[in-house]
Amino acid sequence: FMKTGRIDGVEFELVRRDGAAFFVSLNATAIYGEGGEYLMSRSTLFDITERKRNDRRMHFLQTAMLETSEAEDTTAALAVVLRRICEFTGWSYGQAWLPNADGSRLGLSEAWYCRAPQLRQFREQNEALSITSDNILVGGVWKSQQPAWAWDLGPDPRFVR
């Protein structure tokens, strides 16, 4: 900076006092005195957090689309999507439930993703399940075609096994 007198678009991740991270882009121009000595800089920081989020989303979509297009079949494509979603969100586990041929029940797809070995038992328990539309949580999502969130399924009365 001292030699060139400029900085253009240098990106940093900063942390606020509350611990929240955000991204900025720095532009700066050196201000020199009459004798050529450095006096100060005129600097601007632009919050680019939303742009970085959008870049990350775009990267997610591009890689998922590319990997999905190279998948051998729909099960392999679904496995790619589950893995990518889990990696993107930081989730440890993902599985897909698909309707049977007559649309009366949901069964567990062969496609799944697990980053935590202790969740493999959860997967094994789910393999024997078949869910109808009267299941409060999963069946309700299936019927309404709307997402439902549960932070902890254990005490959630909507989650019936």
Side-chain angles (χ1 to χ4, degrees):
F1 172 74
M2 299 298 278
K3 290 180 182 179
T4 64
R6 292 191 65 84
I7 292 177
D8 292 307
V10 176
E11 296 179 2
F12 296 95
E13 182 178 13
L14 302 176
V15 179
R16 292 185 175 93
R17 287 183 187 169
D18 67 0
F22 66 105
F23 292 92
V24 296
S25 176
L26 170 67
N27 295 317
T29 303
I31 307 296
Y32 298 99
E34 291 179 15
E37 73 280 6
Y38 173 80
L39 298 175
M40 65 180 152
S41 72
R42 183 178 313 133
S43 304
T44 56
L45 287 175
F46 296 97
D47 185 339
I48 59 169
T49 304
E50 193 59 32
R51 190 195 85 206
K52 294 292 255 184
R53 282 188 192 127
N54 288 335
D55 289 350
R56 188 171 174 250
R57 289 177 186 134
M58 185 60 71
H59 178 72
F60 161 73
L61 290 172
Q62 289 172 336
T63 55
M65 187 174 13
L66 179 62
E67 287 183 48
T68 301
S69 70
E70 295 171 350
E72 294 179 21
D73 56 26
T74 55
T75 301
L78 186 54
V80 165
V81 171
L82 286 170
R83 178 177 53 83
R84 284 292 177 182
I85 289 172
C86 289
E87 290 171 350
F88 184 76
T89 60
W91 294 346
S92 296
Y93 185 83
Q95 62 186 16
W97 294 82
L98 301 174
N100 64 0
D102 68 4
S104 63
R105 303 180 83 69
L106 290 177
L108 194 57
S109 164
E110 292 178 25
W112 62 294
Y113 173 79
C114 182
R115 187 174 55 212
Q118 64 271 27
L119 291 174
R120 291 187 187 276
Q121 182 181 5
F122 178 72
R123 168 68 186 191
E124 291 167 7
Q125 292 169 347
N126 286 335
E127 287 174 353
L129 295 178
S130 177
I131 296 175
T132 61
S133 61
D134 62 345
N135 179 288
I136 298 169
L137 181 60
V138 179
V141 169
W142 182 23
K143 275 198 285 193
S144 71
Q145 299 293 297
Q146 296 297 313
W149 295 98
W151 293 106
D152 184 357
L153 293 176
D156 194 322
R158 300 174 302 163
F159 190 67
V160 179
R161 289 224 178 243

